[in-house]
Amino acid sequence: MHHFRALLATALLSMTLGASAATVEVRVSGVVGAKGKVNVAVCDRARFLKQCAYSASVPARAGETVVALRDIPPGTWAVLAYQDENENSQLDRNFIGIPRENYGFSRDAAGRFGPPGFDDAAIEVKEGTTVAPIRLH
């Protein structure tokens, strides 16, 4: 039994060490002024537009703001970004739910009435660095 446990521990350790991870470099353009922060999230299909698995926030820079998220497992992900001008960590909306702060999705995905679907924004993240340009609207 002890031998089996040692073998299992070794197998789990090698799986952890062998697991590859990627970096998603999100290049956010259309940032207005240097107000607030730019918040970025990388989501899988199950958590798209909910509590995404990976997120980061950096101070907004006029023009383009670059945010790098590391240790993302390779696979299919959707990336979203918004400029949180008042730094309340949420995308502010008006009384009928239309966003008041600029936002955007990977592949420049846009929905007709409301946000786009996961497939419209989905990108393939591979080992190494995957660049995801997002233009805020």
Side-chain angles (χ1 to χ4, degrees):
M1 188 65 180
H2 178 71
H3 176 67
F4 175 73
R5 260 190 260 150
L7 194 65
L8 183 64
T10 305
L12 289 173
L13 185 63
S14 65
M15 280 171 50
T16 309
L17 293 174
S20 58
T23 296
V24 177
E25 185 178 290
V26 187
R27 295 185 184 166
V28 184
S29 61
V31 178
V32 182
K35 291 166 67 174
K37 293 187 180 288
V38 171
N39 294 345
V40 171
V42 177
C43 316
D44 60 12
R45 183 181 298 276
R47 287 185 280 222
F48 184 58
L49 301 177
K50 298 183 186 87
Q51 196 64 42
C52 297
Y54 302 94
S55 62
S57 179
V58 299
R61 296 177 56 145
E64 184 178 69
T65 300
V66 178
V67 186
L69 293 98
R70 290 173 175 65
D71 300 324
I72 310 285
T76 305
W77 298 91
V79 185
L80 57 101
Y82 70 95
Q83 186 171 354
D84 186 12
E85 290 187 35
N86 60 4
E87 298 189 41
N88 67 351
S89 299
Q90 61 187 29
L91 180 60
D92 294 338
R93 302 167 187 274
N94 68 14
F95 70 99
I96 58 170
I98 296 171
R100 282 193 188 148
E101 294 174 308
N102 291 334
Y103 67 96
F105 292 88
S106 43
R107 293 182 47 206
D108 211 18
R112 292 172 67 96
F113 300 101
F118 177 82
D119 290 330
D120 296 323
I123 60 169
E124 282 305 311
V125 173
K126 297 177 173 32
E127 285 184 45
T129 300
T130 300
V131 174
I134 295 184
R135 191 162 48 98
L136 298 184
H137 302 277

